Amino acid sequence: MGKTFKRPEALSENHTHYCPGCTHGVIHRLIAEVIDELGIRKNTVGIAPVGCAVLAYNYFTFDFQEAAHGRAPAMATGIKRVRPDLNVFTYQGDGDLASIGMGEIIHAANRGEKFTSIFVNNAVYGMTGGQMAPTTMPDQKTTTSPYGRDIGQTGMPIKVANLLAALQTDAYITRQTVIRPKDINKTKKAIKQAFTYQLEGRCFSMVEVVSTCPTNWGMTPVEAIKWTEDNLLPYYELGDYKTPQ
Amino acid sequence: MGKILMKGNEAIGEAAIRAGCLNYFAYPITPQSEVAEYLARRMPEVNGVFLQGESEVAVGYMIFGASACGERVFTTSSSPGVSLMSEAISYIAGAQCPAVFVNIIRGGPGLGGILPSQADYFQATKGGGHGDYRLLVMAPASVQEAVEMVMKAFPLAEKYRNPVMILGDGLIGQMMEPVEFPEDLRTEPSNKDEWATNGMSTRGDDKQNLVKSLYLDPTALNDHNLLLKSKYDQMKKEEVLYEPVNMDTDYKALIVSYGTMSRVCKSAVAMLKEEGIEVGMIRPQTLFPFPEKAIADAAEKSSCKIILSIEMSMGQMVEDVERCVKGKLPVSWYGKCGGDVPSPEEIMDVVKERI
Ligand SMILES: Cc1ncc(C[n+]2csc(CCOP(=O)(O)OP(=O)(O)O)c2C)c(N)n1
Ligand code: SF4
């Protein structure tokens, strides 16, 4: 095919701090490729979460803001309201978006804020050492659920895409994964679709990406992929949950 | 333009527009919801942004996001709401963004009450959120002064790239007074291209701008805090504002009082004068930076026997006054903190009793 592996312009040359086999890096790359393809790098503002991706701005070559834990959707709202011409996305983990920041994401989605959320669901709190997240699976062992998640005490894992899709406001809500090459292509398409809706001023968009955290799952990257296939994907079903009318 | 009669809260909203700020995010709370109601009508008329957020937590970050991309932005709230915004205020100060916060204080702690209070003095001047940061805090004593302080707050926030807080109380918000909006206080936003995340194409460059408060390296974080400190030190040199009252006399007592409380104290000073009792007063207009030198100098006066810190809080300002007086004279507190504003007669009695 003669295709060379080229670094997207939107991706910086900095070496990543992510663990080997972590999917954050793949997702960063997809975002950068989409931004290049749409030619919107100089008009984009990203918002980094608090979580393993807090330093995401080191890996991109466009403007970035760093949010407090969970508050990225409120910051994105602030930007889009005063500068609707900018392309804005939040990049958030599941502790960030589905726990401490649940209020902000629901209301931003419900107002139909015209930004994009890239939601990285790895079923644990990565940065702080693998504690239980709202997305942790029943009986899954984490550092704060050492006997396995007890759903009698902590409820069932939250399906964020399903939840946001249930809102009455128009939106693009999809769940994808990046654990296999074919999934990576689909995720990239979804991110491109989300940014396109945003550029058209259509609607709020969220791409949930079912991801891995080999380090805190205590697995090799290969085991982590298998575990995701066997445990996460049957519960977190992939696909578009809502497309704008 | 002539004077118009306006309620404090509405005048505050209009003042921001007249200052050149067309972006407002807020969450309703008594006793300042009229600002939001006023701006919900008014912002669309001037092509401005009005958004009612889902909570003060979210509003704080809407302010952060908007200010971080270089736009003038402000919010108004009251005590419990400002507690919720304090997380964002710490981040905004840490990330060095300009923004204006108005706190129309109500009684506390907790839900407290909805009547006027000055009980958020510590929160405003000592940092309601975490970390080593300061706000430039201005305390108006009239609706006209509130208007002027709001208008001046925007260029000050931009000069220091730091949040500015207007600390009013329920009375300032609720009272009707004639006001005018001085044309010369309308300012152009400063150029923010050096730091704002306003999109590289907006700036016409290819350099990433980053708004952040994380410095994992201890030397870098220390340097960052030293930089912030240098701004607060500069404020202390350049921004102190206060009003001296009856200070060219041989006053027997000195009152330090601000905001609504100072209006009452001012009447008491005039009434005491008629009775032949001279009392001086310093009214801090900025609470941070505090008029340290003015109070220190005033305490040197040989006729002065006592300093009175009179406030609608349980003596939160006393520590600052004591710091200036350095033990040279006794510092005594008087105040009420339930929502009643002490009367001039009450203040007169207190002065007579304590001198
Ligand atoms: C207000 C606040 N509470 C707690 C923390 C500590 N904290 C940092 S990251 C994090 C969880 C991150 O997990 P997640 O959002 O799932 O992202 P991941 O690291 O897995 O990518 C927590 C609890 C914080 N920084 N701020
Ligand atoms: S801790 Fe988990 S989420 Fe964080 S970088 Fe490592 S593998 Fe990725």
Side-chain angles (χ1 to χ4, degrees):
Chain A
M1 237 164 67
K3 195 174 158 198
T4 49
F5 192 71
K6 217 174 124 249
R7 183 176 56 82
E9 205 184 357
L11 210 58
S12 80
E13 284 170 19
N14 291 334
H15 285 293
T16 126
H17 70 286
Y18 298 115
C19 309
C22 174
T23 39
H24 274 306
V26 180
I27 303 166
H28 284 18
R29 186 178 176 94
L30 297 181
I31 294 170
E33 285 177 3
V34 167
I35 286 175
D36 274 13
E37 286 168 24
L38 294 170
I40 52 175
R41 188 175 66 92
K42 293 192 165 187
N43 225 24
T44 291
V45 181
I47 305 177
V50 176
C52 280
V54 64
L55 297 173
Y57 45 75
N58 282 340
Y59 311 125
F60 294 104
T61 58
F62 46 83
D63 285 0
F64 244 89
Q65 300 182 5
E66 174 196 85
H69 198 20
R71 314 297 178 216
M75 292 183 70
T77 299
I79 307 174
K80 282 302 276 198
R81 291 286 172 146
V82 303
R83 285 292 307 272
D85 57 313
L86 294 172
N87 177 55
V88 177
F89 72 93
T90 69
Y91 187 101
Q92 302 178 260
D94 42 6
D96 195 80
L97 182 142
S99 189
I100 197 166
M102 189 57 118
E104 281 75 15
I105 193 69
I106 290 214
H107 284 281
N110 194 56
R111 285 189 303 264
E113 298 294 345
K114 289 162 192 64
F115 66 83
T116 302
S117 285
I118 310 294
F119 168 43
V120 181
N121 176 2
N122 59 11
V124 285
Y125 285 21
M127 190 196 211
T128 38
Q131 293 85 5
M132 188 183 77
T135 46
T136 296
M137 294 304 289
D139 300 322
Q140 186 183 335
K141 288 192 173 139
T142 71
T143 52
T144 51
S145 57
Y147 307 110
R149 179 176 184 166
D150 175 357
I151 56 167
Q153 297 293 324
T154 63
M156 288 292 285
I158 298 178
K159 297 181 174 186
V160 172
N162 311 51
L163 192 71
L164 294 188
L167 298 170
Q168 301 303 301
T169 308
D170 225 10
Y172 174 57
I173 309 286
T174 186
R175 184 183 291 121
Q176 304 293 335
T177 184
V178 285
I179 59 167
R180 300 161 298 214
K182 68 169 192 318
D183 303 317
I184 294 179
N185 287 337
K186 278 194 180 164
T187 301
K188 181 173 168 184
K189 260 173 113 176
I191 295 172
K192 195 165 185 175
Q193 184 61 261
F195 280 155
T196 304
Y197 285 136
Q198 176 176 173
L199 294 173
E200 292 168 358
R202 292 276 288 277
C203 59
F204 170 79
S205 48
M206 187 201 66
V207 181
E208 174 171 343
V209 186
V210 179
S211 303
T212 64
C213 177
T215 302
N216 287 304
W217 294 356
M219 297 177 197
T220 66
V222 175
E223 286 165 353
I225 288 172
K226 176 89 174 60
W227 191 83
T228 304
E229 277 179 322
D230 294 347
N231 295 279
L232 295 183
L233 295 185
Y235 186 79
Y236 295 116
E237 290 175 67
L238 305 181
D240 287 349
Y241 282 79
K242 192 173 203 170
T243 47
Q245 310 261 295
Chain B
M1 221 193 84
K3 292 202 172 194
I4 41 174
L5 197 64
M6 267 184 117
K7 197 172 186 170
N9 281 332
E10 298 192 343
I12 284 169
E14 184 62 29
I17 292 177
R18 303 291 180 105
C21 172
L22 297 183
N23 303 303
Y24 175 78
F25 299 84
Y27 189 84
I29 183 170
T30 308
Q32 62 75 55
S33 298
E34 294 89 352
V35 188
E37 289 163 2
Y38 180 80
L39 290 174
R41 286 196 307 274
R42 188 76 174 101
M43 278 301 186
E45 290 174 4
V46 292
N47 282 327
V49 171
F50 169 88
L51 183 65
Q52 179 172 326
E54 66 270 31
S55 70
E56 288 90 348
V57 173
V59 165
Y61 288 96
M62 291 172 186
I63 298 288
F64 188 11
S67 89
C69 61
E71 298 293 316
R72 276 193 176 169
V73 63
F74 89 115
T75 188
T76 60
S77 188
S78 181
S79 315
V82 177
S83 291
L84 285 187
M85 287 177 185
S86 296
E87 184 197 41
I89 292 175
S90 162
Y91 278 78
I92 296 171
Q96 300 199 73
C97 290
V100 174
F101 290 81
V102 179
N103 181 1
I104 301 296
I105 311 177
R106 55 187 258 176
L111 267 186
I114 56 169
L115 294 172
S117 165
Q118 296 181 324
D120 296 349
Y121 181 89
F122 279 158
Q123 185 193 55
T125 62
K126 315 289 178 195
H130 57 285
D132 262 312
Y133 76 91
R134 296 292 191 144
L135 303 176
L136 203 162
V137 184
M138 296 193 274
S142 68
V143 177
Q144 182 62 39
E145 195 173 38
V147 161
E148 291 174 18
M149 284 179 173
V150 167
M151 294 183 80
K152 287 175 189 162
F154 292 97
L156 277 172
E158 287 161 19
K159 174 178 174 186
Y160 290 99
R161 282 176 57 192
N162 197 72
V164 172
M165 180 168 279
I166 309 296
L167 201 61
D169 56 65
L171 215 73
I172 299 285
Q174 297 299 325
M175 114 184 123
M176 299 266 285
E177 279 187 338
V179 285
E180 61 185 331
F181 300 91
E183 272 300 323
D184 58 342
L185 290 184
R186 175 190 286 279
T187 47
E188 285 300 316
S190 60
N191 183 13
K192 295 161 186 171
D193 284 356
E194 223 169 84
W195 60 268
T197 51
N198 53 358
M200 294 188 298
S201 58
T202 306
R203 308 189 288 278
D205 68 18
D206 203 348
K207 179 190 133 285
Q208 178 191 53
N209 276 355
L210 195 53
V211 170
K212 63 155 193 168
S213 57
L214 180 71
Y215 295 86
L216 288 172
D217 174 67
T219 309
L221 182 56
N222 192 52
D223 288 348
H224 176 61
N225 271 302
L226 283 170
L227 171 71
L228 297 184
K229 181 176 184 300
S230 73
K231 298 197 297 184
Y232 308 138
D233 289 344
Q234 189 188 346
M235 288 178 195
K236 288 183 188 174
K237 280 204 198 94
E238 297 178 17
E239 312 303 342
V240 175
L241 282 177
Y242 65 92
E243 181 195 6
V245 179
N246 205 37
M247 292 296 289
D248 50 2
T249 58
D250 286 329
Y251 50 86
K252 284 209 177 90
L254 175 78
I255 292 176
V256 182
S257 187
Y258 68 95
T260 290
M261 192 65 249
S262 68
R263 287 167 76 118
V264 179
C265 290
K266 209 172 183 176
S267 308
V269 167
M271 287 154 75
L272 285 163
K273 196 179 182 75
E274 275 175 27
E275 292 185 14
I277 304 171
E278 297 291 1
V279 175
M281 177 170 128
I282 286 176
R283 173 173 80 89
Q285 291 163 296
T286 52
L287 299 178
F288 184 90
F290 198 64
E292 291 168 15
K293 187 170 181 306
I295 294 171
D297 291 351
E300 297 285 347
K301 187 96 174 179
S302 57
S303 59
C304 188
K305 299 289 173 255
I306 188 166
I307 318 271
L308 286 154
S309 180
I310 302 184
E311 25 176 339
M312 281 141 62
S313 80
M314 290 291 139
Q316 295 186 25
M317 190 172 60
V318 170
E319 291 173 18
D320 279 338
V321 176
E322 281 176 341
R323 190 163 57 78
C324 307
V325 175
K326 295 194 176 75
K328 286 187 180 135
L329 285 175
V331 176
S332 161
W333 165 78
Y334 183 74
K336 274 187 176 164
C337 199
D340 287 336
V341 182
S343 68
E345 290 75 17
E346 228 174 307
I347 304 299
M348 289 169 75
D349 288 346
V350 169
V351 171
K352 285 181 195 164
E353 205 181 280
R354 299 194 190 174
I355 48 175

